[in-house]
Amino acid sequence: MIAMMPEFFLKALSQKGLDTFYGVPDSTLKHFCAHLSTQVSKKQHLICANEGAAIGLAIGYHLATSKIPVIYMQNSGLGNCVNPLLSLGDPDVYGIPMLLIIGWRGEPGKKDEPQHKKQGRVTLDLLKSMEIPFSILDGNQKDVSIAVDTASDWMRTNNAPYALVVKKGTFESVPPLNCEEDAHPMTREEAIQHILETVADDSIIVSTTGMASREVFELREKMGEGHQKDFLTVGGMGHCSQIAMGLAMQKPDKQIFCLDGDGAALMHMGSMAVAGTIGLQNFNHIVLNNGVHDSVGGQPTVSRAVNLTDIATACQYTSLGPVNEKESLQRAIQSAEHAPCSSFIEVLVRRGHRKNLGRPTQSPEQNKIAFMDYVR
Ligand SMILES: Cc1ncc(C[n+]2csc(CCOP(=O)(O)OP(=O)(O)O)c2C)c(N)n1
């Protein structure tokens, strides 16, 4: 398959007046996202908390300017925006023209991870049932220009959304994002290793979507341990704290540790308010804050500009951080185990991951069965 330069696509869009972007990053779109971050001003490109929020911002933009916004996402994010698309953007309601750029993970016939299979298989049908017309993009520049023209005409005539579904490998690589380096001593993987080594032996781990869960899996292998104490939240980004809380409510005698990402925690931050106020002595929420969406290309989140620890305190958690090195992390974990209510540890870590990081060799179903056996 030929790949196209992100620059070509950006130009094709801007020739149609499509020059303002909202979205949540995705690995299929990471080269396009990197290009946006360097070529488009901050006023015209915002990385959003979740895909539904991106639709909201896009609607506000259209109301203010009459122009057509662009929203990018991974196909797993479609679920987050079904409601605002159908109950606001749809021509049966307000009729808001907007262009969705959707990275197609799990395309049928292509090898991908279990969490992407069904989502990939139903992506086009999902759009069809939502009555959102679409074109499929690969790196063929001629087809891309035609698709952008078709989308633009359709959105303007019908005042309604149109989608471009982007295949893996569509974009030529561009240099990775050059974020300012920070000096925190631990990587996310090192922090996870310290956590696994410090928590009481019978503790339960619920880890977030992306590299963190892959690291938990590989670390257990390295430590010669089984995987039965870990629930890997391979999909459902942003919901791992609620899975952990659901477990904590039913298993008061076990300490539950949620290993969250900053992007994931921000994605559904309302859950922190519920988890904090409910006050569970065995619920421990750890956010591994690297300031970026490391798993899909390192695009920045706003987590270093807000104070997650203060937010947690305001949500009634016992906050035991922030910490950024082994000893203070270990001390915080020990205090968390004795805290009378929900506890929160923000761990500031360096961005990045091992290049040879593998993927779980157990299926999600095997993970679930072993985990449920253990929890019982
Ligand atoms: C709803 C949804 N949107 C987007 C994605 C793609 N995605 C997978 S991991 C990830 C980044 C997670 O960032 P963070 O929680 O900060 O963890 P990090 O990768 O930095 O460890 C994204 C955006 C997804 N899986 N689900």
Side-chain angles (χ1 to χ4, degrees), residues 272-291:
M272 282 175 62
V274 177
T277 49
I278 202 161
L280 293 167
Q281 54 80 30
N282 61 335
F283 175 69
N284 309 291
H285 192 167
I286 301 183
V287 174
L288 300 156
N289 182 357
N290 54 12

Side-chain angles (χ1 to χ4, degrees), residues 143-154:
D143 293 350
V144 168
S145 303
I146 294 169
V148 172
D149 286 353
T150 309
S152 171
D153 290 347
W154 203 91

Side-chain angles (χ1 to χ4, degrees), residues 24-26 51 74 76-77 80 116 188 208-212 237 260-265 267 288 290 292-296 301:
V24 176
D26 164 41
E51 294 80 356
Q74 180 177 100
S76 53
N80 277 339
H116 295 296
R188 180 189 50 225
T208 188
T209 315
M211 305 276 182
M237 178 176 163
D260 215 346
D262 50 292
M267 182 167 267
L288 300 156
N290 54 12
V292 292
H293 292 99
D294 182 54
S295 302
V296 290
T301 71

Side-chain angles (χ1 to χ4, degrees), residues 7 32 45 65 97 100 117 131 159 161 197-198 240 252 339 345 361 374:
E7 194 182 355
F32 179 63
H45 173 215
T65 63
L100 312 179
K117 280 191 183 148
E131 298 170 3
N159 272 331
E197 285 170 352
T198 308
C240 97
I345 308 173
T361 50
Y374 177 76

Side-chain angles (χ1 to χ4, degrees), residues 18 34 172 174 212 239 244 261 266 268 273 296 304 325 340-341 344 373:
L18 303 165
E172 197 83 66
V174 296
H239 295 304
L266 289 165
H268 294 299
V296 290
R304 293 283 174 84
E325 43 76 43
C341 47
F344 186 87
D373 273 352

